[in-house]
């Protein structure tokens, strides 16, 4: 049995609580030994080994077991950490916010409860992965597409709750969410939207209902346990045209986004388009040591050789057009005129034997895969953490943000490895800080770099839209308008909905009252 204990709970009391939980979910679904608990750690963490480790794990099978388990957690005031698939790597994976929490593992709840072909949606439980939903749709002969995140092992519900994104026209996953079932800390079950109408057949068809809209309150929060969620699925279009355009110069980033902005706002390009930097793009097919084994960032001369060897640009822009072929060809004229006007632009409509092209094309048509995970081989050692500021898709802002972040990466001895994903009116900048976890100095530098970026981005007016466990408090403090009024509101809600503070304490920097001062 693990020697870690929830804060303020002695060993005898903890064993008694675990016995009661075992009576609810079955003894085989309560984990207390170090070997099974090792699955609930962040294998890629920027923190030293031994931090953010659980005391135990409990895996309920259904909503009723969740309700019963919550009674036990409340009675003993045990802090729990709730998750579905636990694949939120680069942001903490399945690890808890602090050592000693009890993991509330919902992977057993993995039913696809409904697929509605007519209205284009699915109703899923927390454990359903992109691979599972995709295979299910193929098995039943559905003509609906999913929108997967890049690693297909992730959870449909979990990614939407974390404000994740994909690459089809349905790429904003929370926007495509419709209707939740939530168990509150006291065990009460709430259905949002039309799910609150007994016998409603429209729970997943419309978000709207009388009164406030609560779905967003249960994303990136610790106010309840989401047990069911509707997700809209895209009908298979009659045509699909993926493309990539390479750009020769780093400073072309400004022109790229100034060109793409009207195409996105007017939905000429309907999907989540992405500008990928050279090293992110090439890391799916080679390694850093193949070109450079020195310290610090890859020199510009080597970057130019990499680009030449692989037929890539400093920026590589991916997008796609969808719909009837005549509409695609008409819209293509607008895209080509705008995006090819930048000097040195080269158009690619197909690339042979290129795994990066292949996996991007598959993602943009809703096919989950794991190719992107291979980019970890660029450095080796597996360590990675994502810094994710968000802004408008403005060329000047994009270039300014890129230059700031690239310089800080170089200051700390890291390559800039990033991409800019463009939604309808928003831009997600994803920096992947890669490091060898076995190299203690490198791991520590990655941690320090991330903390520096948080403060400097906030000073420049940029906030992160999601983050790693280790930086949730720091990022929460950057949202400081009116003396942090937004987080004061979060805490007021927390104190009312979860007075014992059992649900994921510290999630996104939202702490229960009893733990707030120490946080």
């Amino acid at each position: 049995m693990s020697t870690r204990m929830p804060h303020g709970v002695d060993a005898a009391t903890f064993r008694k609580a675990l016995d009661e939980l075992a009576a609810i979910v079955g003894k085989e679904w309560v984990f207390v030994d170090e070997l099974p608990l090792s699955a609930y750690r962040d294998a890629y963490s920027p923190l030293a080994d031994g931090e953010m480790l659980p005391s135990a794990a409990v895996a309920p099978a259904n909503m009723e077991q969740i309700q019963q388990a919550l009674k036990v957690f409340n009675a003993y005031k045990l802090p729990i950490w709730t998750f579905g698939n636990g694949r939120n790597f680069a942001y903490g994976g399945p690890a808890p916010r602090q050592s000693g929490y009890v993991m509330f593992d919902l992977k057993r709840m993995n039913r696809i409860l409904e697929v509605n072909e007519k209205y284009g949606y699915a109703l899923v439980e927390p454990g359903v992965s992109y691979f599972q939903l995709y295979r299910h749709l193929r098995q039943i002969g559905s003509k609906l597409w999913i929108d997967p995140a890049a690693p297909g092992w992730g959870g449909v519900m979990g990614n939407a709750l974390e404000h994740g994104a994909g690459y089809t026209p349905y790429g904003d996953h929370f926007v495509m969410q419709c209707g939740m079932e939530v168990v509150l800390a006291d065990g009460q079950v709430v259905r949002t939207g039309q799910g609150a109408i007994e016998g409603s057949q429209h729970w997943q068809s419309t978000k709207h209902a009388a009164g406030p809209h609560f779905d967003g309150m249960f994303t990136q929060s610790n106010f309840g346990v989401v047990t069911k969620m509707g997700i809209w699925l895209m009908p298979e279009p009659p045509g699909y045209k993926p493309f990539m355009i390479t750009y020769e110069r780093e400073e072309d980033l400004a022109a790229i986004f100034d060109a793409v902005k009207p195409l996105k706002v007017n939905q000429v390009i309907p999907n989540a388009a992405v500008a990928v930097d050279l090293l992110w793009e090439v890391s799916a097919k080679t390694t850093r040591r193949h070109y450079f084994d020195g310290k610090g960032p890859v020199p510009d001369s080597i970057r130019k050789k990499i680009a030449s060897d692989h037929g890539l640009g400093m920026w590589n822009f991916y997008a796609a057009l969808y719909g009837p072929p005549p509409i695609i060809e008409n819209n293509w004229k607008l895209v080509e005129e705008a995006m090819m006007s930048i000097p040195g632009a080269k158009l690619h409509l197909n690339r042979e034997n290129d795994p990066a092209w292949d996996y991007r094309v598959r993602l943009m048509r809703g096919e989950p895969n794991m190719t992107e995970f291979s980019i970890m081989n660029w450095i080796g050692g597996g360590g990675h953490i994502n810094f994710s500021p968000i802004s408008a898709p403005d060329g000047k802002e994009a270039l300014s943000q890129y230059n700031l972040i690239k310089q800080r990466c170089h200051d700390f001895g890291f390559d800039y490895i990033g991409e800019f994903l463009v939604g309808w009116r928003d831009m997600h900048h994803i920096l992947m800080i890669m490091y060898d976890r076995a190299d203690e100095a490198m791991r520590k530098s990655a941690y320090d770099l991330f903390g520096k970026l948080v403060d400097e981005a906030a000073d420049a007016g940029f906030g992160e839209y999601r983050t790693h466990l280790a930086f949730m408090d720091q990022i929460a403090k950057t949202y400081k308008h009116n003396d942090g009024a937004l987080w004061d509101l979060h805490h007021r809600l927390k104190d009312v909905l979860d007075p014992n503070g059992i649900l994921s304490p510290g999630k996104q920097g939202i702490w229960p009252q009893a733990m707030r001062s120490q946080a």
Side-chain angles (χ1 to χ4, degrees):
M1 184 172 177
S2 168
T3 57
R4 292 179 295 277
M5 296 288 156
H7 180 71
V9 179
D10 61 68
T13 301
F14 191 40
R15 282 195 296 270
K16 186 172 185 295
L18 292 175
D19 288 343
E20 292 181 27
L21 290 164
I24 295 168
V25 303
K27 187 176 181 180
E28 68 273 27
W29 298 110
V30 175
F31 306 105
V32 296
D33 294 328
E34 290 293 355
L35 183 59
L37 289 181
S38 67
Y40 301 103
R41 66 185 182 93
D42 179 9
Y44 312 104
S45 176
L47 300 175
D49 290 340
E51 296 194 45
M52 295 184 176
L53 299 175
S55 57
V58 177
N62 51 53
M63 184 260 289
E64 291 74 20
Q65 288 187 359
I66 288 177
Q67 289 178 296
Q68 295 173 53
L70 287 173
K71 291 180 181 178
V72 176
F73 295 135
N74 272 301
Y76 291 94
K77 294 184 170 56
L78 300 180
I80 65 174
W81 192 259
T82 303
F83 68 93
N85 282 64
R87 301 294 188 182
N88 195 24
F89 293 119
Y91 299 104
R97 185 69 173 77
Q98 287 186 349
S99 288
Y101 288 9
V102 177
M103 308 307 293
F104 208 30
D105 182 348
L106 307 185
K107 284 198 294 290
R108 291 176 68 198
M109 298 176 63
N110 62 354
R111 293 181 300 165
I112 300 167
L113 299 164
E114 181 185 0
V115 172
N116 190 299
E117 197 79 14
K118 181 178 180 180
Y119 295 115
Y121 66 76
L123 180 65
V124 300
E125 289 185 328
V128 174
S129 72
Y130 290 114
F131 280 128
Q132 181 186 350
L133 181 56
Y134 175 79
R135 291 166 183 156
H136 178 75
L137 293 174
R138 300 290 77 80
Q139 287 168 1
I140 65 174
S142 173
K143 296 296 184 182
L144 298 173
W145 285 8
I146 69 168
D147 185 278
W153 62 7
V156 176
M157 180 187 294
N159 190 268
L161 294 179
E162 289 298 318
H163 304 169
Y167 302 89
T168 78
Y170 281 40
D172 190 328
H173 293 164
F174 177 62
V175 169
M176 297 302 157
Q177 170 274 330
C178 188
M180 292 181 183
E181 178 182 86
V182 184
V183 183
L184 302 181
D186 63 2
Q188 184 180 26
V189 178
V190 174
R191 288 188 172 182
T192 65
Q194 292 297 314
I197 298 289
E198 292 287 353
S200 173
Q201 300 300 306
H202 311 108
W203 188 17
Q204 275 66 60
S205 298
T206 176
K207 296 171 178 282
H208 302 297
H213 188 282
F214 281 106
D215 296 59
M217 195 175 80
F218 297 106
T219 69
Q220 286 198 11
S221 78
N222 48 17
F223 300 145
V225 180
V226 183
T227 53
K228 295 182 180 69
M229 190 184 77
I231 191 78
W232 290 341
L233 304 175
M234 178 179 169
E236 182 179 10
Y240 168 59
K241 183 171 184 169
F243 62 92
M244 181 179 83
I245 304 173
T246 60
Y247 297 94
E248 296 178 345
R249 306 178 309 154
E250 291 179 58
E251 55 266 35
D252 288 338
L253 188 66
I256 292 169
F257 283 108
D258 286 340
V260 81
K261 180 168 51 182
L263 299 175
K264 283 297 305 173
V265 170
N266 291 291
Q267 291 290 282
V268 175
I269 294 177
N271 76 313
V274 59
V276 189
D277 104 283
L278 171 68
L279 298 187
W280 186 309
E281 182 70 6
V282 81
S283 59
K285 42 201 170 188
T286 190
T287 62
R288 175 185 157 106
R289 66 177 62 92
H290 183 78
Y291 283 93
F292 181 67
D293 61 1
K295 297 288 187 180
V298 172
D300 286 344
S301 60
I302 301 296
R303 287 171 58 87
K304 289 176 182 176
K305 177 171 174 49
I306 292 171
S308 176
D309 286 354
H310 294 273
L312 295 171
M314 293 298 133
W315 295 104
N316 305 277
F317 180 81
Y318 284 95
L321 303 182
Y322 306 78
I327 292 178
I328 286 179
E329 292 313 308
N330 187 64
N331 286 346
W332 175 247
K333 296 173 186 176
L334 300 174
V335 173
E336 193 171 26
E337 179 182 7
M339 303 304 296
M340 295 299 293
S341 65
I342 300 170
K346 294 178 182 177
L347 173 65
H348 302 260
L349 295 176
N350 190 33
R351 288 171 67 92
E352 297 293 335
N353 301 314
D354 185 340
W357 162 267
D358 290 343
Y359 93 83
R360 294 281 182 181
V361 169
R362 292 173 65 194
L363 285 175
M364 292 189 294
R365 67 175 177 231
E367 295 181 12
N369 61 83
M370 289 296 295
T371 303
E372 188 167 279
F373 224 70
S374 67
I375 72 176
M376 298 301 107
N377 295 326
W378 177 250
I379 293 292
H384 64 289
I385 183 172
N386 285 1
F387 176 70
S388 307
I390 192 167
S391 63
D394 177 82
K396 184 179 179 181
E397 276 200 353
L399 186 60
S400 172
Q401 199 178 97
Y402 166 67
N403 285 331
L404 167 67
I405 291 174
K406 182 188 73 169
Q407 185 58 55
R408 287 296 167 265
C409 287
H410 289 184
D411 291 345
F412 281 78
F414 292 93
D415 292 319
Y416 171 89
I417 302 173
E419 65 177 14
F420 289 81
L421 187 146
V422 187
W424 201 340
R425 286 174 171 79
D426 57 274
M427 180 176 72
H428 297 61
H429 183 182
I430 313 298
L431 169 71
M432 186 172 290
I433 305 171
M434 292 190 195
Y435 49 93
D436 182 353
R437 281 211 81 241
D439 185 326
E440 179 66 16
M442 195 178 193
R443 180 197 61 74
K444 179 65 166 56
S445 290
Y447 181 90
D448 292 342
L449 167 60
F450 196 104
K452 181 77 169 176
L453 288 172
V454 170
D455 291 337
E456 291 197 346
D459 289 343
F462 302 116
E464 285 68 60
Y465 82 101
R466 66 198 289 198
T467 192
H468 189 276
L469 301 167
F471 298 93
M472 286 180 173
D473 289 338
Q474 183 181 356
I475 286 175
K477 290 174 183 176
T478 66
Y479 285 80
K480 54 190 178 183
H481 169 71
N482 194 21
D483 293 329
L486 180 59
W487 253 255
D488 286 346
L489 176 59
H490 295 334
H491 285 139
R492 290 164 68 185
L493 290 169
K494 181 66 173 173
D495 293 342
V496 171
L497 292 174
D498 182 16
N500 288 325
I502 61 169
L503 298 181
S504 301
K507 171 72 173 170
Q508 300 308 134
I510 303 171
W511 292 92
Q513 192 169 36
M515 302 174 74
R516 210 164 290 158
S517 59
Q518 72 182 58

